[in-house]
Structure formats: structure tokens, C-alpha cells
Amino acid sequence: MPNTTLGCPRTWDGLLCWPMAGSGEWVTLSCPDFFSHFSSEPGAVKRDCTITGWSEPFPPYPVACPVPLELLTEEKSYFSTVKIIYTLGHSISIVALFVAIAILVALRRLHCPRNYIHTQLFVTFILKAGAVFLKDAALFHGENTDHCSFSTVLCKVSVATSHFATMTNFSWLLVEAVYLTCLLASKSPSTRRAFWRLVLAGWGLPLLFTGMWVCCKVAFEDVACWDLDDSSPYWWIIKGPIVLSVGVNFGLFLNIIRILLRKLEPAQGSLHTEPQYWRLSKSTLLLIPLFGIHYVIFNFLPDSAGLGIRLPLELGLGSFQGFIVAILYCFLNQEVRTEISRRWHGHNPELLPARRALTKWTVPSRSGVKVLTSVC
């Protein structure tokens, strides 16, 4: 007499993850979400747990979840193209960001708190791009991956790193806006202590919330690779602070515009102040709504909403964000261009581009003497 106490283990058949079942039990699963893009009618597949193991799917996948072969080929080619685009975008961004960091670090006259903040914003985009490459290597390293039991340490680390990188992106964009607001609202530079408080918040808060999320996943939801979070309440430990930072950034965005309009009134300043304030503000004023809108649109829509448009915009164009930041904050920065021109042509003032005399930052040198630096 066959042993009917034996069951069937959890199994990945390449399309669905079949749960554990007792001998003689029928299990019914809906077609993978992917198939909903090809048919409006939901299909279902059944399997019987027999004494010899799982039976073949009934009805077969081509019948229960029909997909035209030519469409499947087109979809595979489409996703491969999207991956090539965002890999290229992140690679270009990394190169541009490293060049930008090297310029800001190598040119001593550019050493000032505002450029220090730019540099750390650049680092967050490098971290974000690296997290994407790490996540791709961990999650998509082979076609025969068992997604039922796929739960390696590398996989979980890659997901946690991706969340941390995303949070640091938004925290440092918030630091940029906070620092610019303080700079515009006050005639005197911020103190070194205030600057280091911003640095601590920019790195510390993302680390705190990511650590809380990791602890909750380990303790209460240690399932698979932690990459399926949409229905998890712990997902808000990551999403909540980011949404809050986007909201605060928009508030600061409006406040910066208000301060600029007030500063640019004839009674409030001279003609020399107008380019100074616009120069300080234009990059941040562009990035706040650009990145904020990007996040809100693509993180509050369902995954299946507008997939054909969502993927190229979110993954493709989003991968060039680091490149855009490097251009706005470094390559198009007037102080950077002036200093590079000074180094290229030498110290002859006749060969330097003309610029107005503006308030300059000073930082203490090792000898205790104030060192003149560029405008920030």
C-alpha cells in the first residue's frame, strides 16, 4: 500500500511557485501576472500532489495562459533593450559623477560647504547605480534560478543596498534644498557645526530607516529575497520617509522662489545680487520638482499600470539622473568653469572670463590662516 503521508515539496517550475501540499491534494494557481498583459481573462492552472510527486500542470500552460509566440519573442527583446539602456545610462552617470567629484576635490579654490554637499550628492548617485548592478547580478544571474527558495544573503543585501541608495538620494537632495534656503535667508555663512549636522542627517537617517526595515524583514517577514514589498506594511518604513522628504522639498521649493522674488526686488538689493541668487538656486530649483515628480508618479502607480511607458521612463531615463546632476552642479557651474579656465590659461587675469565680485567663503587652513575659496 503506498505511503499517503508523503507530501509534495514547494517547487518552482519556471513560471509559478507551487506551495507544499499533502498527498492527494489539488492545488490551483492563477497564471503569472505577466500574462495579464496579453489577455484580459484570468487563467488558472491545477496540479495534483500524487504519491510520486507533482503531476503535470492541467490544463497545460499554453492552453491556460495563452501567449502568442511572436509576442513573447518581442517582449523578451523589449526587456533586453530596456536593460541595455539603463545599464548604459548608469555607466555614463558613474563616469560623469567620478569626473565631477575629481574636479571638485582637485581644485582647492572650489572647496566650500556647498560643493562638499554637491560631492556627497554625487556619491549617492554612484551608490544607487552600483546597487542596480549588484541587484541585477543577484536576482538575474541565471535563467534556472529557483524563485521559490531563492533567499541568499547576497540577494537580500542587494535589495537593502538599493533601498538605502534611494533614500540617500532623496535625503541629500533635501540637504541641498535646506542648505540653499539657509544660504538665501541669511547674509552670513552657516557654521561648521550646522554643516556637519546636515551631513549626519543626510547619511544617518537613511541608514536608520533601512536598518529598521531590515530588522523587521528578518524578524517578521523573512521570505524569499525581500524584493516583493508592495503589499507589505513594512514597505512604508522605506517609502514613508521618502514621501515626506519629497513633500518637504516641494515646500522648500516654493519658499526658495518666495525668497528669490523678495531678494530680486529693487529695494532689496543691487544689480550684483541678481545673478548671484539665480546662480545659487537654478540647479536645485530644477532638480527638486524633476526628481520629486519622478518618484511620486512611478512609486504610487500599480506595477502593471502603463508598463510600456513606465519601464523606459523609470529605468531608462531614470538611469541618466546622475549624469544630469553632474552636468548641472559641476560641468555647467560657473565657478568650476572659471577655475578650470584659470588653471588652463594660467594666472593672467586678462585670459579669465569676467565675473562680478561676490561674497566668498573662507575655511580655516592647517596654519590657522583664512584661505580664500570660491563662491558657494
Side-chain angles (χ1 to χ4, degrees):
M1 181 177 179
N3 186 0
T4 58
T5 62
L6 296 177
C8 297
R10 186 170 56 178
T11 303
W12 171 257
D13 65 358
L15 288 175
L16 291 173
C17 181
W18 295 88
M20 295 180 60
S23 182
E25 182 179 355
W26 280 88
V27 178
T28 302
L29 295 178
S30 299
C31 291
D33 294 337
F34 174 80
F35 289 90
S36 63
H37 302 298
F38 304 100
S39 175
S40 58
E41 298 181 1
V45 181
K46 298 180 180 180
R47 294 185 78 174
D48 180 21
C49 179
T50 66
I51 57 175
T52 58
W54 286 107
S55 65
E56 292 296 320
F58 178 80
Y61 280 116
V63 177
C65 313
V67 179
L69 184 60
E70 60 274 10
L71 284 181
L72 197 60
T73 304
E74 291 178 4
E75 287 292 320
K76 186 174 181 179
S77 175
Y78 170 74
F79 288 121
S80 298
T81 303
V82 170
K83 185 176 181 180
I84 292 173
I85 292 174
Y86 76 70
T87 300
L88 178 63
H90 283 302
S91 300
I92 293 175
S93 294
I94 287 177
V95 172
L97 290 165
F98 270 120
V99 172
I101 291 174
I103 291 173
L104 295 183
V105 171
L107 301 179
R108 182 171 175 76
R109 284 168 58 90
L110 298 176
H111 290 186
C112 67
R114 182 157 172 78
N115 283 338
Y116 296 154
I117 291 176
H118 293 343
T119 300
Q120 294 182 82
L121 181 64
F122 297 163
V123 171
T124 67
F125 278 97
I126 294 174
L127 181 63
K128 181 179 178 181
V132 170
F133 294 144
L134 178 62
K135 192 174 180 180
D136 279 356
L139 291 176
F140 310 112
H141 64 280
E143 297 182 355
N144 297 322
T145 301
D146 184 352
H147 290 274
C148 284
S149 58
F150 186 50
S151 182
T152 63
V153 173
L154 177 61
C155 177
K156 295 176 181 178
V157 167
S158 69
V159 174
T161 303
S162 177
H163 289 329
F164 174 72
T166 301
M167 293 193 76
T168 56
N169 255 172
F170 287 95
S171 69
W172 276 98
L173 186 59
L174 180 59
V175 169
E176 288 275 2
V178 170
Y179 189 81
L180 177 59
T181 302
C182 295
L183 198 62
L184 293 176
S186 175
K187 294 182 180 179
S188 60
S190 301
T191 63
R192 186 176 294 271
R193 179 179 300 178
F195 169 75
W196 283 109
R197 286 176 179 172
L198 290 176
V199 173
L200 181 62
W203 292 108
L205 291 178
L207 185 62
L208 173 64
F209 286 111
T210 305
M212 291 172 56
W213 178 81
V214 169
C215 291
C216 289
K217 296 294 283 187
V218 171
F220 308 111
E221 205 175 60
D222 192 7
V223 179
C225 191
W226 298 356
D227 57 324
L228 301 176
D229 279 322
D230 290 341
S231 60
S232 171
Y234 306 113
W235 175 227
W236 280 99
I237 299 176
I238 301 295
K239 182 180 287 188
I242 294 178
V243 173
L244 179 62
S245 72
V246 171
V248 173
N249 258 336
F250 272 109
L252 292 174
F253 170 75
L254 298 176
N255 189 47
I256 290 171
I257 293 179
R258 181 187 65 82
I259 294 175
L260 284 174
L261 293 177
R262 181 167 56 84
K263 293 281 187 181
L264 295 178
E265 292 177 358
Q268 294 293 329
S270 65
L271 293 176
H272 295 285
T273 61
E274 181 174 344
Q276 175 188 9
Y277 289 123
W278 278 118
R279 179 185 54 76
L280 287 173
S281 308
K282 59 184 179 181
S283 298
T284 303
L285 289 175
L286 176 63
L287 292 181
I288 289 175
L290 178 64
F291 289 176
I293 292 173
H294 176 274
Y295 181 84
V296 170
I297 290 178
F298 292 116
N299 283 272
F300 283 91
L301 286 176
D303 289 339
S304 58
L307 191 64
I309 301 177
R310 179 193 180 104
L311 285 180
L313 291 179
E314 183 178 10
L315 298 180
L317 293 182
S319 65
F320 288 92
Q321 285 182 342
F323 180 62
I324 295 173
V325 169
I327 289 178
L328 291 177
Y329 280 142
C330 182
F331 304 137
L332 295 182
N333 186 299
Q334 182 61 44
E335 281 67 50
V336 173
R337 295 167 64 187
T338 299
E339 182 61 15
I340 292 177
S341 179
R342 188 186 72 85
R343 290 294 185 94
W344 183 266
H345 295 293
H347 295 272
N348 188 347
E350 295 181 357
L351 297 178
L352 296 179
R355 62 173 180 174
R356 294 182 174 89
L358 303 176
T359 304
K360 297 183 182 296
W361 286 85
T362 58
V363 295
S365 65
R366 294 181 179 178
S367 62
V369 180
K370 296 286 187 177
V371 178
L372 196 64
T373 62
S374 64
V375 180
C376 288

